[in-house]
Amino acid sequence: MASIAVCPGSFDPVTFGHMDIIKRASKVFDKVYVCVLNNTSKKPLFTVEERVALLQEVTNEFGNVEVEEFHGLLIDYARSKNASSIVRGLRAVSDFEYEMQITSMNRVLDESIETLFMMTNNQYSFLSSSIVKEVAKYSGSVSELVPPVVEEALKKKFKNN
């Protein structure tokens, strides 16, 4: 039986920190579904479709990674993919409390699906999509924070806004 994981997030936009977690998950699991969720508590810069397209482009080198969008409960998406695990990245202790709440709720909904946490690479521990958007908004360089295609997409977004 293949090991299947779901790596969820809003990915607005995808950063090298996200890529680090996806790459490492792709080495641990036979199949990884990167699930782009629409976080209703955030106002996204990119549409879900744009985020999916960017993620597909930057993950195409990983043969066992598939990118999709999903609206609804993450646990329902994981079940639909027969996933045994949800992979979440942790940057700092401050991420832990939020992640623990989500994981606890997911366990109530389906205790057969485990959540695994991966600590991000130290060089990305400060990195968030919000920081990237703020820097890009004021024409700062984000070339060391995001893949080139994402950097170009950010430039276009802020040029048009």
Side-chain angles (χ1 to χ4, degrees):
M1 186 159 152
S3 61
I4 301 170
V6 171
C7 189
S10 51
F11 304 104
D12 186 41
V14 60
T15 69
F16 283 140
H18 295 127
M19 293 297 298
D20 174 54
I21 299 298
I22 294 167
K23 180 179 182 177
R24 289 169 44 213
S26 76
K27 292 177 181 178
V28 174
F29 295 94
D30 296 323
K31 181 76 174 181
V32 176
Y33 290 95
V34 176
C35 179
V36 179
L37 299 167
N38 190 22
N39 186 337
T40 55
S41 66
K42 295 180 181 178
K43 186 177 181 231
L45 177 64
F46 292 97
T47 66
V48 171
E49 295 77 18
E50 289 170 325
R51 289 180 267 158
V52 166
L54 287 169
L55 272 159
Q56 286 172 333
E57 189 164 345
V58 299
T59 61
N60 66 7
E61 67 187 89
F62 310 128
N64 63 337
V65 172
E66 192 170 323
V67 180
E68 297 181 339
E69 70 176 275
F70 186 74
H71 301 279
L73 293 174
L74 173 61
I75 207 75
D76 291 337
Y77 178 80
R79 277 192 208 117
S80 76
K81 297 301 178 186
N82 295 314
S84 59
S85 302
I86 296 169
V87 175
R88 300 289 296 173
L90 291 177
R91 293 171 295 196
V93 174
S94 57
D95 288 344
F96 184 76
E97 186 175 350
Y98 171 77
E99 293 296 345
M100 187 175 152
Q101 289 174 334
I102 300 299
T103 298
S104 297
M105 188 68 242
N106 285 339
R107 178 161 274 149
V108 167
L109 296 171
D110 191 332
E111 63 184 23
S112 71
I113 300 174
E114 290 293 337
T115 299
L116 304 174
F117 296 104
M118 285 188 173
M119 294 303 299
T120 192
N121 186 311
N122 284 342
Q123 75 186 86
Y124 306 124
S125 62
F126 70 95
L127 188 53
S128 71
S129 294
S130 298
I131 288 173
V132 167
K133 288 185 283 193
E134 187 72 13
V135 171
K137 179 179 180 178
Y138 294 104
S139 303
S141 174
V142 294
S143 63
E144 294 191 27
L145 309 176
V146 298
V149 65
V150 176
E151 181 180 20
E152 286 306 311
L154 284 162
K155 286 178 182 176
K156 286 180 187 172
K157 274 288 181 190
F158 287 118
K159 182 178 181 185
N160 295 333
N161 286 346

